[in-house]
């Protein structure tokens, strides 16, 4: 959990307050200037398309640091990539690309197993399938969009994850938004973790069921909420709930923490509620053979009712899947809107996942899969322990390839991001609204494609910039061997 | 009896009089004459104050004990996650073994394919495949990141600029999936308290967007301009300056094949001060002399339509979606479009395919003439099929045939149509499909058989499908000649 020192909280609040005050001042002057200019005839009688307050954050806060986000790249998002340089003539309002690029160390892309760039096993097969099937089927799955590749992928995914059957979709976000309304509707209850992803929140809202939240990763609090809700029943009528689903994620992408799966599953089994596990970041990245959080924490996949995941992060492709029992998958194929109204997954992307899965399972005839899995675990643990030794405040658990470094103050966000870029390290910084207002952070994603030298270079740059920006909130561990050598000399 | 009561009453009154004439009755305290009635008033006030200080009676609250909660949890029985599996749920769609072009292979046999929305025949186009191969070798398949965090490649920005140039708008924004474009755009611009007037025949993606926006949604009769006008009339009020109001329509409805009369809609929008959100998934690349969509078809300047969205999985034979409009509209979505910010970006090779497809369309507008000719041939061939009637617009590449006489329920209609479709596939090797409806879909338009006509079909394909449908329909309804 994050421990926010009082001084930091005060200074952060002060900074935001100052930014807010200046923003309001500029808005006030803007209103006066607009009042002097004649209002355009076209918009008479219409409300403004973006209301004042919605836009305030974008116009007055985000635009100042716009160059830290949406940086275009000119090569594959591998361990090292080319970031396009941009310039602005009007104080960051519009950014223009140049043709110059700078080669930077990539600490921001979700490339956990290194499949992002052209791979020696996957890419030839992907190109073959592109020539055979074309980039798209132009059809929904139930019409003419199911190719034999899609069927092969579904069998392979089910086998990999350890469930009887699976169903795939063309986009991970749509998987959550379109599946949850099919499984539960009015009269049902969804209990979701307080830090769940936006796609789950959208799916829960779209379903029409009641939604309650339990404290992040807190199994006793989940039990308390469950007992209260089952005893009370539906609001106002007090009829018993039709069904209850608990939704959790494998790795929370903003915290880097693993889910406390065994405790949560035990609670859910006791109270007969269904569990839905979103493994977007953990499938392929954790676990001895890459099978995700269930393998890492020793949970039997049969205990989780529905397992969801995406192919974007560890497999270098796009799309999502749901793995569950045969009956549920059959029902979803018949009723899910993403199968009935959305174009099926692009065939080359399907082939990429099939090849990546074969490499991970070792069925391509080499041991690259096992090497990649060992590499990412080693890299993550090494990087995290080194950062902690330097005195940074790093969140997350061991073995998780996502590590957020706390920044807190809004001014440190662009400072950290720009200084790292100057020294050729590309990092990702996140602030409000993806995280709570006071808890801005830089998020590092480690990949199996990073070598030890890459990591050391990254650590060196982050340490230098960290000193400059002042984010080493904890005391650094002094290097022990140097101190002893010094003593010996004396 | 009565006299006794009177006696007691007078005795009581005498006592009261005595009290009033008591020695203190004439006293003067603090300059106030204390008369008898003051005593009664003081006593009354004391009684009132006494009652006010009493707590009102509330029955004691008894929270459930732990044991009771345990019992309730034991007794509770949840419904199963899925309803019982019926026969229809077990039906598997046909598996395609080659590219989904006008001719494809199912179970080893060659089949004429009328089930792919491949309107310009771009599946299998060599240029597009070559540009995709170059992109795959450079970038790999996925972009591994959101657009906001290093998921933006030069190809994405080039694709957005190309589409904006093609549509003559200032800018456009790319989404990674066709259906996510519309259900991210609507909640970005419509919040609680705004008013949306939508056609009742819009597809599920639009319905989901409307639901997520939490605005008040009013539906008008499908493609009926009189119904739209009366709805707009009812909703006009003085709050126009504060409340945003939108009309949401599709250019070519995929549920019915009808084309929205954009000139009437623009006229109504200007009269009643609404904004228009136009969903052009099936009309982009199809309608208009050069394929620029419904605005070109009606000759309306594109600045009059506030927001246009489209999926690229149809005419452009790639995946993903885009939204275009004024610069303000597009910029707002870069932080507020949930499908843009919270999802990985479109794979770069698909963005390249989109650029190649738009270039092809701009260089070869004659492909639209071929498409239109094919559609009219299909109309000719299917105009006299017994038992079925064409329900879509003559310009629509989605040709929808619905039953002349419905059997009464949606379910039995679909069963009948599915039987016809299956026979056509098995006996004549032609793939056509029936309407698919999800349980979550609110649309109540009639179901039918759909044919997706492509510029890649040739005359013999169209003749085959007309003959086959006619034969199967005749055998199904032998009484109708």
């Amino acid at each position: 959990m994050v421990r926010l020192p009082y001084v930091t909280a005060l200074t952060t609040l002060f900074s935001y307050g100052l930014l807010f005050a200046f923003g309001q001042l500029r808005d006030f002057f803007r209103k006066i200037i607009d009042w002097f200019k004649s209002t355009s005839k076209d918009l008479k009688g219409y409300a403004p398309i973006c209301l004042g307050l919605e836009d305030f954050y974008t116009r007055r806060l985000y635009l100042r640091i716009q160059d830290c986000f949406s940086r275009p790249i000119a090569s594959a998002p591998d361990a090292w990539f080319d970031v396009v340089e941009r310039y602005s003539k009007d104080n960051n309002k519009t950014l223009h690309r140049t043709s110059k690029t700078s080669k930077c160390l990539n600490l921001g892309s979700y490339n956990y197993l290194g499949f992002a760039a052209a791979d020696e096993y996957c890419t030839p097969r992907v190109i073959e399938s592109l020539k055979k099937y074309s980039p798209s089927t132009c059809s929904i799955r139930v019409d003419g969009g199911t190719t034999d590749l899609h069927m092969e992928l579904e069998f392979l995914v089910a086998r990999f994850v350890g469930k009887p059957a699976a169903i795939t979709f063309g986009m991970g976000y749509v998987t959550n938004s379109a599946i949850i309304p099919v499984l539960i509707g009015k009269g049902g209850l969804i209990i979701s973790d307080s830090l769940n992803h936006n796609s789950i929140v959208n799916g829960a809202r779209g379903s029409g069921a009641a939604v309650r939240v339990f404290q992040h990763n807190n199994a006793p609090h989940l039990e308390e909420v469950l007992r209260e809700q089952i005893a009370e029943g539906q609001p106002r009528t007090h009829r018993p709930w039709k069904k209850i689903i608990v939704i959790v994620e494998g790795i929370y992408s903003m915290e880097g923490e693993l889910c406390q799966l065994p405790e949560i599953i035990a609670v859910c089994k006791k109270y007969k509620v269904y569990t839905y596990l979103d493994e977007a970041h953990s499938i392929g990245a954790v676990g001895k053979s890459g099978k995700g959080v269930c393998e890492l924490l020793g949970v039997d996949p049969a205990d989780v009712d529905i397992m969801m995941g995406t192919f974007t992060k560890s497999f270098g492709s796009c799309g999502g899947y749901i793995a569950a029992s045969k009956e549920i998958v059959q029902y979803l194929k018949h009723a899910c809107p993403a199968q009935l109204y959305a174009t099926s997954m692009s065939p080359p992307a399907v082939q990429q996942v099939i090849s990546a899965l074969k490499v991970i399972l070792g069925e391509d005839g080499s041991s690259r899969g096992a090497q990649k899995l060992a590499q990412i675990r080693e890299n993550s643990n090494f990087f995290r322990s080194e950062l902690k030794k330097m005195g940074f405040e790093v969140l997350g658990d061991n073995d998780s390839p996502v590590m957020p470094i706390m920044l807190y103050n809004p001014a440190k966000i662009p400072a950290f991001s720009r200084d790292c870029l100057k020294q050729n390290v590309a990092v990702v910084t996140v602030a409000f609204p993806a995280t709570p207002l006071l808890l801005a952070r830089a998020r590092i994603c480690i990949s199996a494609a990073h070598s030890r030298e890459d990591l050391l270079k990254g650590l060196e740059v982050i340490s230098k910039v960290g000193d400059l920006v002042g984010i080493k909130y904890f005391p650094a561990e002094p290097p022990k061997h140097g101190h002893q050598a010094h003593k010996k000399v004396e | 009896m009565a006299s006794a009561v009177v006696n007691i009453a007078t005795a009581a009154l005498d006592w009261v009089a005595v009290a009033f004439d008591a020695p203190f009755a004439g006293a003067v305290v603090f300059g106030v004459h204390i008369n008898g009635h003051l005593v009664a008033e003081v006593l009354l006030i004391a009684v009132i104050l006494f009652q006010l200080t009493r707590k009102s009676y509330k029955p004691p609250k008894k929270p459930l004990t732990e044991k009771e909660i345990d019992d309730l949890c034991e007794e509770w029985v949840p419904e199963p996650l899925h309803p019982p599996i019926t026969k229809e749920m077990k039906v598997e769609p046909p598996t395609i073994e080659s590219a989904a072009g006008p001719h494809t292979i199912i179970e080893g046999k060659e089949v004429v394919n009328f089930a792919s929305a491949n309107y310009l025949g771009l599946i299998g186009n060599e240029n597009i495949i070559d540009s995709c191969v170059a992109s795959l070798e450079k970038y790999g398949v996925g972009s591994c990141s959101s657009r906001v965090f290093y998921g933006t490649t030069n190809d994405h920005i080039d694709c957005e600029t190309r589409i904006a140039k093609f549509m003559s708008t200032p800018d456009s924004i790319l989404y990674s999936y066709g259906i996510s474009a519309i259900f991210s755009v609507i909640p970005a611009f419509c919040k609680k308290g705004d008013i949306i007037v939508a056609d009742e025949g819009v597809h599920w993606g639009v319905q989901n967007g409307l639901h997520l926006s939490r605005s008040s949604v009013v539906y008008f009769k499908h493609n009926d301009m009189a119904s739209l006008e009366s709805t707009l009339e009812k909703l006009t009020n003085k709050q126009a300056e504060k409340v945003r109001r939108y009309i949401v329509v599709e250019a070519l409805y995929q549920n019915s094949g009808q084309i929205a009369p954009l000139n009437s809609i623009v006229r109504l929008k200007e009269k009643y001060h609404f904004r228009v959100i136009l969903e052009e998934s099936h009309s982009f690349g199809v309608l208009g002399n050069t394929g620029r969509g419904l605005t070109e078809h009606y000759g309306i300047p594109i600045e009059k339509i506030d927001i246009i969205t489209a999926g690229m999985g149809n005419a452009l034979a790639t995946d993903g979606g885009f939204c275009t409009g004024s610069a303000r509209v597009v910029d707002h979505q870069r932080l507020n479009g949930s499908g843009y910010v919270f999802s990985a970006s479109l794979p770069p090779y698909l963005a390249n395919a989109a650029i190649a497809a738009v270039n092809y369309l701009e260089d070869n507008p004659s492909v639209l003439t071929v498409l239109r000719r094919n559609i009219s041939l299909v109309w000719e061939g299917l105009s006299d099929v017994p038992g079925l009637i064409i329900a879509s617009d003559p310009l629509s590449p989605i040709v929808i045939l619905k039953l002349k006489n419905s059997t009464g329920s949606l379910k039995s209609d679909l069963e009948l149509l599915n039987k016809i479709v299956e026979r056509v596939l098995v006996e004549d090797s032609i793939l056509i499909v029936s309407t698919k409806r999800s349980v979550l879909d609110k649309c109540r338009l009639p179901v039918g058989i759909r044919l997706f006509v492509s510029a890649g079909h040739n005359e013999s394909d169209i003749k085959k499908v007309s003959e086959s449908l006619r034969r199967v329909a005749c055998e199904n309804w032998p009484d109708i000649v």
Side-chain angles (χ1 to χ4, degrees):
Chain A
M1 285 310 298
V2 181
R3 291 174 289 163
L4 184 58
Y6 279 124
V7 177
T8 321
L10 276 173
T11 50
T12 314
L13 273 172
F14 176 71
S15 313
Y16 274 113
L18 199 64
L19 283 166
F20 184 75
F22 267 101
Q24 292 287 41
L25 197 66
R26 291 175 83 149
D27 270 355
F28 175 68
F29 281 115
R30 168 62 50 193
K31 260 198 227 136
I32 297 183
I33 294 177
D34 274 346
W35 185 74
F36 277 126
K37 288 199 206 142
S38 60
T39 47
S40 99
K41 283 258 156 52
D42 301 334
L43 289 180
K44 211 166 170 56
Y46 288 90
I49 199 163
C50 307
L51 299 175
L53 282 175
E54 269 169 30
D55 233 20
F56 180 79
Y57 181 77
T58 314
R59 278 176 296 122
R60 298 301 170 204
L61 271 69
Y62 175 75
L63 277 185
R64 288 168 182 261
I65 56 174
Q66 206 192 156
D67 63 313
C68 300
F69 300 102
S70 302
R71 290 186 180 142
I73 61 180
S75 73
D78 205 2
W80 286 84
F81 62 176
D82 297 325
V83 176
V84 172
E85 288 173 18
R86 297 187 291 179
Y87 67 91
S88 170
K89 288 203 194 122
D90 51 2
N91 210 14
N92 255 2
K93 265 215 203 116
T94 49
L95 294 160
H96 303 276
R97 293 181 286 170
T98 61
S99 48
K100 284 200 320 182
T101 60
S102 48
K103 204 166 175 65
C104 297
L105 176 66
N106 183 0
L107 289 178
S109 293
Y110 306 132
N111 176 22
Y112 299 140
L113 292 179
F115 283 113
D119 184 83
E120 58 191 18
Y121 179 80
C122 300
T123 311
R125 285 170 176 74
V126 169
I127 294 184
E128 210 183 288
S129 73
L130 171 71
K131 294 199 174 126
K132 185 174 174 201
Y133 291 97
S134 275
S136 167
T137 57
C138 292
S139 185
I140 59 182
R141 275 296 293 271
V142 285
D143 275 352
T146 307
T147 59
D148 43 352
L149 280 181
H150 291 94
M151 303 298 286
E152 192 187 334
L153 176 63
E154 287 178 359
F155 283 132
L156 204 51
V157 165
R159 185 156 65 94
F160 182 72
V161 167
K163 291 293 255 180
I167 178 177
T168 54
F169 302 90
M171 183 186 176
Y173 189 96
V174 162
T175 312
N176 273 332
S177 314
I179 286 290
I180 300 179
V182 176
L183 291 173
I184 190 168
K186 233 170 134 107
L189 174 66
I190 297 179
I191 305 188
S192 84
D193 191 290
S194 56
L195 296 176
N196 268 341
H197 189 251
N198 185 275
S199 56
I200 299 178
V201 170
N202 261 352
R205 272 204 210 134
S207 68
V211 181
R212 299 276 178 275
V213 162
F214 72 95
Q215 270 170 29
H216 174 61
N217 245 352
N218 191 340
H221 187 244
L222 171 64
E223 181 162 6
E224 218 181 282
V225 170
L226 271 174
R227 285 172 71 83
E228 191 195 315
Q229 289 300 321
I230 298 181
E232 265 188 37
Q234 297 187 28
R236 289 176 61 233
T237 55
H238 293 290
R239 287 202 194 103
W241 295 106
K242 290 204 182 134
K243 52 185 122 161
I244 302 185
I245 301 187
V246 171
I247 307 186
V248 288
E249 289 188 31
I251 291 186
Y252 292 91
S253 57
M254 287 299 155
E255 274 71 35
E257 281 172 12
L258 293 166
C259 170
Q260 282 181 359
L261 202 54
E263 292 87 355
I264 293 183
I265 299 281
V267 167
C268 292
K269 275 177 126 168
K270 184 166 159 204
Y271 292 93
K272 294 175 277 190
V273 299
Y274 301 113
T275 39
Y276 183 108
L277 178 63
D278 177 340
E279 290 214 80
H281 285 265
S282 52
I283 189 74
V286 295
K288 208 152 127 296
S289 47
K291 297 200 174 151
V293 141
C294 286
E295 190 183 14
L296 184 68
L297 299 175
V299 172
D300 185 7
D303 286 339
V304 182
D305 295 291
I306 301 173
M307 295 176 66
M308 176 263 176
T310 60
F311 300 127
T312 332
K313 281 95 185 175
S314 309
F315 306 104
S317 175
C318 64
Y321 70 86
I322 296 261
S325 69
K326 274 210 166 65
E327 289 79 30
I328 296 183
V329 168
Q330 229 162 25
Y331 172 60
L332 288 176
K333 281 193 175 160
H334 171 81
C336 177
Q339 291 272 301
L340 301 178
Y341 300 115
T343 321
S344 68
M345 202 165 146
S346 168
V350 175
Q351 180 61 45
Q352 163 77 14
V353 184
I354 295 178
S355 313
L357 277 172
K358 292 218 168 100
V359 171
I360 297 176
L361 285 170
E363 287 169 14
D364 63 326
S366 74
S367 63
R368 280 173 65 220
Q371 269 170 13
K372 283 181 192 272
L373 288 164
Q375 183 80 19
I376 187 174
R377 195 167 41 245
E378 204 187 298
N379 283 357
S380 322
N381 289 339
F382 171 71
F383 206 80
R384 179 175 266 117
S385 59
E386 287 298 312
L387 282 177
K388 282 198 170 140
K389 274 197 223 151
M390 288 188 213
F392 288 102
E393 185 169 352
V394 182
L395 307 180
D397 299 329
N398 269 336
D399 280 349
S400 143
V402 178
M403 42 200 89
I405 303 178
M406 295 309 294
L407 296 171
Y408 300 119
N409 289 63
K412 299 190 180 175
I413 304 170
F416 188 76
S417 181
R418 288 172 190 156
D419 278 321
C420 279
L421 191 64
K422 273 197 220 135
Q423 307 203 27
N424 288 353
V425 169
V427 293
V428 158
T429 46
V430 239
F432 185 79
T435 59
L437 187 68
L438 298 179
L439 305 174
R441 59 201 74 176
R443 188 180 65 178
I444 310 274
C445 293
I446 299 294
S447 152
H450 287 132
S451 63
R452 190 47 81 100
E453 295 80 42
D454 298 335
L455 294 180
L456 287 171
K457 153 118 183 139
L459 283 166
E460 189 195 314
V461 168
I462 292 181
S463 180
K464 259 196 263 175
V465 175
D467 279 328
L468 201 63
V469 169
I471 48 177
K472 291 191 176 168
Y473 292 109
F474 293 151
E477 278 178 31
K480 295 196 187 79
H481 53 275
H483 191 72
Q484 280 171 354
H486 196 73
K487 269 193 140 173
K488 271 196 188 145
V489 165
E490 282 177 51
Chain B
M1 203 43 213
S3 55
V5 172
V6 169
N7 280 341
I8 295 173
T10 32
L13 279 170
D14 282 341
W15 272 109
V16 171
V18 162
F20 277 147
D21 293 331
F24 63 83
V28 176
V29 179
F30 298 122
V32 177
H33 271 268
I34 299 212
N35 289 324
H37 64 93
L38 266 176
V39 174
E41 280 156 17
V42 168
L43 270 173
L44 222 52
I45 290 176
V47 167
I48 291 173
L49 284 173
F50 176 74
Q51 290 289 44
L52 278 175
T53 54
R54 297 296 98 206
K55 272 209 306 222
S56 58
Y57 174 69
K58 278 198 192 107
K61 260 200 198 152
K62 281 195 289 202
L64 295 170
T65 63
E66 288 301 313
K67 174 128 194 339
E68 284 169 338
I69 298 186
D70 279 337
D71 287 338
L72 280 169
C73 295
E74 283 280 324
E75 285 167 11
W76 179 65
V77 177
E79 275 180 15
L81 262 183
H82 60 89
I85 304 289
T86 62
K87 209 165 31 108
E88 312 140 339
M89 293 189 198
K90 294 210 187 133
V91 174
E92 297 269 330
T95 309
I96 309 243
E97 289 157 16
S98 74
H103 297 263
T104 183
I105 301 180
I106 295 184
E107 284 175 15
K109 276 198 316 185
E110 190 174 302
V111 162
V112 177
N113 183 6
F114 276 95
S116 281
N118 171 25
Y119 303 135
L120 302 178
L122 287 175
I123 290 186
N125 182 298
E126 289 297 323
N127 281 343
I128 297 185
I129 294 188
D130 285 337
S131 71
C132 287
V133 171
S135 179
L136 280 173
E137 283 171 348
K138 183 171 177 201
Y139 291 109
V141 174
S143 59
C144 295
S145 208
S146 152
R147 278 296 292 268
V148 186
F149 305 137
Y150 305 112
T152 310
T153 60
N154 277 329
D155 290 342
H156 290 109
I157 306 184
D158 289 338
C159 186
E160 290 177 351
T161 334
R162 186 72 187 87
I163 291 179
K165 196 165 129 216
F166 182 68
M167 297 291 282
S168 317
T169 49
D171 201 0
S172 70
I173 180 174
L174 214 58
Y175 283 93
S176 46
Y177 206 45
I179 208 175
S180 79
I182 188 65
F183 77 57
S184 303
V185 163
I186 298 183
F189 292 103
C190 313
K191 300 274 182 336
K192 204 170 162 115
D194 294 331
I195 299 179
I196 305 184
V197 176
D199 188 297
E200 65 179 8
V202 289
H203 65 89
W204 177 83
V206 182
Q207 291 169 22
N208 196 26
L210 294 173
H211 180 84
L212 287 171
S213 69
R214 300 206 264 204
S215 329
S216 356
V217 181
V218 181
Y219 289 100
F220 66 91
K221 279 219 208 58
H222 181 53
N223 230 12
D224 183 346
M225 289 298 109
S227 166
L228 174 60
E229 180 149 17
S230 64
T231 318
L232 292 176
E233 184 76 53
K234 272 189 243 158
L235 291 170
T236 312
N237 58 17
K238 293 180 212 115
Q239 290 280 316
E241 299 285 324
K242 299 206 192 90
V243 165
R244 297 177 288 193
R245 301 178 305 167
Y246 298 91
I247 302 178
V248 175
V249 283
E250 278 178 55
L252 186 63
Y253 292 93
Q254 67 186 38
N255 281 330
S256 69
Q258 297 297 323
I259 296 183
L262 197 62
N263 45 5
S264 326
I265 295 178
V266 169
R267 190 179 43 84
L268 287 171
K269 148 203 149 123
E270 287 177 341
K271 182 170 167 199
Y272 292 98
H273 298 299
F274 273 62
R275 290 189 165 98
V276 172
I277 300 181
L278 188 61
E279 222 287 280
E280 288 223 67
S281 292
H282 290 270
S283 64
F284 181 73
V286 171
L287 294 179
N289 282 335
T290 53
R292 284 174 165 82
L294 197 62
T295 46
E296 193 187 19
H297 179 74
Y298 277 102
I300 295 176
I302 198 152
E303 296 79 38
K304 296 214 171 182
I305 309 293
D306 303 276
I307 304 173
I308 296 184
T309 67
M312 303 195 290
N314 303 312
L316 293 185
T318 168
D319 213 348
F322 68 85
C323 173
T324 183
S326 67
R328 190 91 200 275
V329 159
V330 170
D331 275 334
H332 183 75
Q333 286 174 59
R334 294 209 193 267
L335 263 194
N336 295 67
S338 40
Y340 181 83
V341 174
F342 292 109
S343 165
S345 60
L346 185 65
Y349 76 96
L350 288 173
N352 258 318
I355 299 178
V358 171
N359 285 340
Y360 176 87
L361 180 56
E362 203 161 31
D363 295 333
N364 304 312
S366 54
V367 68
L368 292 165
T369 335
V370 175
L371 175 63
R372 273 190 271 271
R373 196 202 61 198
N374 282 354
I375 300 175
S376 56
L377 281 175
V378 169
W379 263 75
E380 265 175 44
L382 295 177
S383 49
D384 55 352
V385 173
L388 295 170
I389 181 173
I390 304 188
S392 55
D393 191 285
L395 284 172
S396 145
I398 311 180
V399 177
I400 298 190
L401 293 152
K402 63 173 195 218
L403 292 167
K404 267 204 188 115
N405 308 312
S406 161
T407 53
S409 84
L410 212 70
K411 200 157 160 264
S412 45
D413 277 351
L414 260 179
E415 261 180 46
L416 180 55
L417 291 168
N418 281 335
K419 259 201 283 234
I420 298 181
V421 161
E422 208 186 312
R423 284 190 61 185
V424 168
L425 176 61
V426 165
E427 294 167 18
D428 294 314
S429 298
I430 302 178
L431 181 62
I432 55 176
V433 285
S434 57
T435 322
K436 304 293 188 297
R437 265 314 139 70
S438 161
V439 290
L440 300 177
D441 198 342
K442 288 198 219 116
C443 175
R444 294 279 162 261
L445 295 179
V447 290
I449 295 181
R450 291 183 300 179
L451 277 85
F452 291 91
V453 183
S454 154
H457 286 127
N458 48 36
E459 278 192 45
S460 63
D461 296 331
I462 300 176
K463 224 159 81 180
K464 257 182 101 175
V465 76
S466 331
E467 279 168 11
S468 165
L469 262 176
R470 203 171 292 131
R471 186 184 60 83
V472 173
C474 280
E475 287 172 25
N476 207 2
W477 290 286
D479 335 326
I480 308 176
V481 177

